[in-house]
Amino acid sequence: MLIERKWKKWLYFYLPVAAFIVFTLFPFYWMAVTAFRPDAELYATWRQPNAAPLWTLHPTFEHVVGLMKTTAFPTWLWNTMAIAIVSTGISLVCGTFAGYALARLRFRGSEFLGTAIFITYLVPQTLLFIPLADIVRDFQLGNTPWALMLTYPTFLIPFCTWLLMGYFKTIPKELEECARIDGATRFGAMVRIILPVAIPGILSAGIFAFTLSWNEFIYALIFMSSAERKTVPVGVVSELIRGDIFFWGQLMAGALLGSVPVALVYSFFVEYYVTGLTGSVKG
Amino acid sequence: MANVSIRSLNKYYDNGFHAVKDVSLEIPDKAFVVLVGPSGCGKTTTLRMLAGLEEISSGEIFIGTERVNDLPPMDRNIAMVFQNYALYPHKTVFDNMAFGLQMRKYQKEEIRKRVGEAAEILGIEALLERKPRQLSGGQRQRVAVGRAIVRHPQVFLFDEPLSNLDAKLRVQMRVELKRLHERLETTAVYVTHDQVEAMTLGDRVVVMKDGRVQQVGAPLELYGRPANRFVAGFIGSPAMNFVNVSVTGAGDALWAEAEGLRVKIPSQFAGRIAHKRLTLGVRPEALRLANGVDDYSFATEVDVVEPLGNEILLNFRAGGVPMVARVDPGTHVAAHDAVRFALDPARLHFFDAETEAAL
């Protein structure tokens, strides 16, 4: 290893990594460039003199300003944020208890229940929205944030339960046995010992759930009808594509601003997130 | 301070496995009792039932005068040290040790005093502000023991506490645990699969196999008078040599015979022989190089010599099985030498070949 030639490391490591990074980040880059490109440049052909297809010569905020003025984008952001936070919160609470119970308590049918919860996660949303639409209408929740806050957990809870169940199983059961000998009830041992230890797992379940509900499209499209109730993914697509006209600049500005919060959440918790997925607790 | 009484204890798991079979034990106050046996012998299950972590299928457990069958672990006034230490990873050493006292609503002053005392006994005062992941294996072990002793419980339970330590540290901690027990004078029940640990730590050793108690006794009692072939083979290292022999009568004496081996059966066994088939047991140190031919000697060839420094182990075959003799370091024997071994007639063991019980 020590006397391995440098070019080998370049060829087998840096080059593939660079290619991979370019490949994954290019759409994001294209979105950012388009958001700040003036219309004149946006619709010019590549063959015209001074064309700069991969960057912009006259960066502008006109699309961002346009997005804020002509659409309800700030409201969409707010809607999306509120819905994602509430549905993530509900799902984490339910998922934590369910995951703990499935991982630790021995009761009749616990394995069947675990599998059943997993299977509900596999039912595609494109089928599930039909009965859900009926229920949402019966409870007169249509076009209110509650329609999404309460339907998102239908796929978030199974997801969180399954992820947290796996995480709880990696925590040595001696920890809570010791706590119970030390004087805690089972619930006390869970709250005081197991939950603090499980924070990386709970955080990564939370980040995943938050991202899933932030990006959710089909329920938001169907249960929300008025423009000011929409979430970012639906709002941007439905209000900035009018007929066959694509407002590319504003679309991309909306997409860029919409993805920033998720990127921020990820970058804050990335360390927890990694230990959460690899699930290692060392006494 | 309390004695522990276990009466006809049984454990059936949900899959029908009968893990603990009719175990009865009387553990006197301040005793250090070691449960020892191969894995799957029910020793840990017994300990966990005593701790309240495992439900009791049938039988009774008393701690002091109180029947604890239906008490939750927290109300049994016990402390347990686990094999993997089970330190709370998010708490400091101090908080780990204080947790049990905090749960029992002790005053802050009292908690600080008790944790300080325990830390001093174990020499971990400098570590109190650290988190478990910053500690070495031996330090974690000490913290785990410290967490148990701050509560001044009636009974200490140890579940293979030394098996995650390296060999050298294990020997050191073994002695420290023994000292600690002398000092604290609290009843202790200790589970291990290591017979050396069992012999050095226990006032009384309980040998278990397949969920049943095989023998209970002081270490030297188990070594000198094993109740059956399993105990004889389990206690002692290198293990006792076993040869299947058949009993023949010649003159007024009985002889134990196997291929290439003919040994007189000492007269005290004669009245107890029920079968023609027996198992002869000889500890490696009950064999020595013979000076001449007598009723207790046989010829063989040494195939491997293990010079250990304080002793030499001679490996050979006799009666159709491999055997080991432990001889003085001054003995001059090389591999493939033809030798004659003599058995010490006072240290022979005979076991019934069918029931495996000692004669």
Side-chain angles (χ1 to χ4, degrees), chain A residues 221-253:
Chain A
L221 179 70
I222 288 153
F223 300 146
M224 298 305 193
S225 41
S226 51
E228 79 283 357
R229 295 284 196 184
K230 286 180 176 165
T231 60
V232 171
V234 173
V236 166
V237 171
S238 63
E239 302 291 314
L240 293 173
I241 304 175
R242 296 182 194 135
D244 56 354
I245 303 169
F246 287 70
F247 290 81
W248 280 119
Q250 295 191 12
L251 260 175
M252 290 300 156

Side-chain angles (χ1 to χ4, degrees), chain A residues 28-56:
Chain A
F28 197 80
Y29 171 76
W30 191 249
M31 180 171 81
V33 167
T34 310
F36 296 109
R37 204 191 278 277
D39 273 342
E41 220 178 88
L42 201 52
Y43 297 111
T45 66
W46 289 15
R47 263 165 292 173
Q48 129 186 353
N50 292 335
L54 288 178
W55 61 88
T56 172

